[in-house]
Structures are given as C-alpha cells and as structure tokens.
C-alpha cells in the first residue's frame, strides 16, 4: 500500500514539474503548426491535388522540406512527447477536482490523449529520421492484411466504428463548448474568451467531421472488402471532395482545422496544465 502511495506521490510531483509544463505548452504550439499544415493540405485537395498525403504525417513531411524544417519537426516531436507524458500522469493520478464516475471518465480520456500524442510524436521522429511515415499507405496495407480473415474484417469494422464514434464525440464536445472548462478563462479578456470559444467550436467540429467520415469509410472497407477506402483522413478528405459542393464543404473543413491550429496556440497560454 505504501509503495502505491509513494508511486502516486512521485507521479504527482512529476505532473507538477515546471519544466514539464513548459514543454507541454510548447507542444501545443507544435500541435497547432501541424494542424495549420494539415489544413493547407486539405485546401490543396479541395482545389487540386497535394504532393503529400492529406493527413498529419503529410503535414510533418511538408514542414521537414522547408528551411530549418527538420529542426522544427524534432522540436514538435519533443513537445508532443511532453504532452503525452503530461496526459499519462493525468490518467494515473490527475483530475483530482472531479469525483467518482466523472473522474474515471476524465482519466480514461487522458489515457486516450496519451496514445494520440505518442502517435504524433513517433510520426514526427520518423519524419525527422527520413523513415517511411506514409500513414495512409500503411493503414491501407494493414487493413488489407486484416481482411484476409473474417475476424480481421470484424476488427477493421470495429476500429472504423470507434473512429466514427470519436468523430461524433468531437462534434458534440465542440458544439457544447466543453473545452472551456480546461482553459483559464478567468485570465482571459472578454475578446480573447470569445475568440477561444469560436476557434474551439469550429476546430473540434471540423475535426469531428473528418474523423467521422474516415470511420465510415473504414466500416465500408470492411463490409465491401475494399482496403483502398481505409486510408484514414487522406481518404476522408478526398471522398468529401468528390461529393456535390465538395470543394465548398472541404474548404469549410480545412478552415475549421486551421481554426483548431490557432486554438492550440491559445491553449499554449491558457490551458490548465
């Protein structure tokens, strides 16, 4: 019992580390840059065809090709890793302001964010080391392998269902402005708070739409045995482009993703860390 308490105390002290806080806040800036580049790729898809995949790995590769780009990519990777550590600690001992079931749900959500930030940090490290980080191609290949068995197709379908559910959750999260409780709104001016609200709503809803479409495409791939549809966000953006008024709709999604990028910049200053 004492070992558990000591471990929790150590984790709590680490979570309160000033250096970890600074790195996590820097991570939000890097996360914002990735989303702005992602939005740029989405706009290119809307009006033509980008040279990179329309997902976060494509955004990081685009950044790496610029002057000092590799330095920025590794800096983003370090910041995202710090964000992952922060959220892992939150999952372990955090969210002490909540009680009961609400605290459990918040800790589970932090565990999910840990996985997301670790994935993006790993992708950034691979881009920095010139490794193949084409996530769309890899997802298609993995889906094709899984679909060789009935159980694998069910697994792919369940993954798509989970991604679609995440998309719906992000839309609800943004529409209900639930992100505001994680911000230091008391330190904001009225104009800054209004800006954060608008950027947060637009950003979460746009990301939710993109993830929701991606999830539906993966489900369709599992049902129709079509791995080419299971290319994640890249396929979702191209599918949206092919619809009636697709250019207009994809432009709106791209602007929403850009809004999330700017919202990340605000979070670097006002997020409760």
């Amino acid at each position: 019992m004492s070992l558990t308490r000591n471990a929790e105390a150590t984790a709590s002290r680490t979570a309160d580390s000033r250096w970890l806080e600074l790195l996590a806040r820097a991570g939000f800036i890097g996360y914002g840059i990735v989303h702005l580049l992602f939005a740029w790729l989405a706009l290119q898809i809307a009006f033509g065809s980008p040279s990179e995949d329309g997902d976060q790995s494509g955004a990081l590769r685009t950044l790496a090709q610029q002057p000092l780009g590799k330095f920025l990519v590794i800096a983003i990777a370090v910041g995202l890793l710090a964000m992952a550590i922060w959220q892992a600690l939150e999952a372990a001992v955090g969210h002490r302001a909540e009680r009961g079931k609400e605290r459990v749900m918040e800790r589970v959500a932090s565990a999910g964010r840990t996985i997301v930030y670790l994935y993006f940090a790993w992708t950034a490290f691979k881009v920095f080391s010139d490794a193949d980080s084409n996530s769309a191609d890899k997802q298609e290949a993995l889906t094709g392998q899984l679909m060789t068995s009935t159980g694998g197709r069910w697994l792919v379908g369940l993954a798509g269902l989970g991604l679609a559910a995440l998309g719906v959750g992000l839309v609800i999260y943004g529409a209900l402005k639930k992100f505001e409780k994680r911000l230091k709104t008391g330190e904001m001016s009225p104009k800054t708070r209004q800006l954060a609200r608008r950027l947060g709503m637009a950003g979460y809803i746009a990301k939710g739409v993109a993830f929701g479409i991606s999830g539906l495409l993966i489900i369709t791939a599992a049902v129709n045995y079509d791995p080419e549809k299971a290319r994640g966000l890249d396929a979702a953006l191209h599918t949206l482009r092919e619809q009636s008024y697709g250019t207009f709709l994809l432009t709106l999604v791209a602007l929403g993703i850009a809004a999330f990028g700017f919202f990340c910049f605000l979070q670097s200053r006002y997020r409760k860390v």
Side-chain angles (χ1 to χ4, degrees):
M1 195 71 170
S2 60
L3 287 175
T4 302
R5 288 201 187 99
N6 288 338
E8 289 183 352
T10 301
S12 181
R13 286 195 297 272
T14 305
D16 292 335
S17 166
R18 177 62 176 168
W19 280 107
L20 181 60
E21 177 186 346
L22 291 175
L23 284 173
R25 293 193 184 282
F28 275 114
I29 295 175
Y31 203 42
I33 292 172
V34 171
H35 279 81
L36 288 178
L37 290 170
F38 179 26
W40 171 242
L41 291 178
L43 281 175
Q44 286 184 289
I45 291 174
F47 294 98
S49 180
S51 58
E52 298 286 358
D53 286 317
D55 59 11
Q56 291 90 340
S57 69
L60 286 166
R61 286 197 303 275
T62 299
L63 178 60
Q65 294 164 5
Q66 310 308 311
L68 297 178
K70 282 204 167 185
F71 169 78
L72 291 174
V73 167
I74 198 63
I76 287 172
V78 171
L80 289 170
L81 182 59
M83 291 171 71
I85 294 171
W86 160 50
Q87 283 300 303
L89 292 169
E90 287 287 281
V93 297
H95 302 291
R96 284 166 285 186
E98 286 81 17
R99 293 290 182 272
K101 187 182 296 184
E102 185 176 353
R103 188 186 182 203
V104 172
M105 294 302 294
E106 290 290 349
R107 292 173 73 179
V108 169
S110 286
R113 293 188 196 100
T114 300
I115 295 172
V116 171
Y117 295 146
L118 278 176
Y119 169 76
F120 287 132
W122 176 241
T123 300
F125 277 120
K126 288 193 295 181
V127 170
F128 175 77
S129 60
D130 285 328
D132 179 16
S133 59
N134 189 317
S135 60
D137 285 345
K138 287 184 176 180
Q139 184 167 324
E140 182 182 339
L142 176 60
T143 304
Q145 293 173 2
L146 289 173
M147 284 185 180
T148 57
S149 67
T150 302
R153 289 178 68 182
W154 274 101
L155 186 61
V156 171
L158 288 174
L161 186 62
L163 193 57
L166 173 63
V168 173
L170 287 172
V171 170
I172 294 173
Y173 190 82
L176 297 182
K177 301 183 285 293
K178 290 188 175 183
F179 53 84
E180 286 190 313
K181 72 176 183 179
R182 304 188 186 282
L183 300 175
K184 299 177 181 179
T185 54
E187 297 180 9
M188 295 179 175
S189 68
K191 287 186 177 180
T192 302
R193 183 170 182 176
Q194 185 180 53
L195 177 63
R197 179 177 296 162
R198 290 176 176 174
L199 290 176
M201 289 180 68
Y204 279 109
I205 290 173
K207 286 187 67 174
V209 169
F211 279 117
I213 295 174
S214 181
L216 291 175
L217 288 175
I218 292 174
I219 294 171
T220 302
V223 172
N224 297 330
Y225 188 66
D226 185 4
E228 288 188 5
K229 290 187 178 295
R231 291 176 59 86
L233 291 172
D234 182 62
L237 298 181
H238 279 92
T239 298
L240 188 58
R241 170 67 177 83
E242 293 165 3
Q243 308 309 307
S244 300
Y245 305 104
T247 298
F248 173 73
L249 294 174
L250 186 49
T251 298
L252 287 181
V253 170
L255 291 175
I257 293 170
F260 187 84
F262 288 114
F263 179 67
C264 288
F265 296 157
L266 281 176
Q267 286 191 94
S268 70
R269 167 64 177 85
Y270 294 107
R271 177 69 182 255
K272 296 174 182 176
V273 177

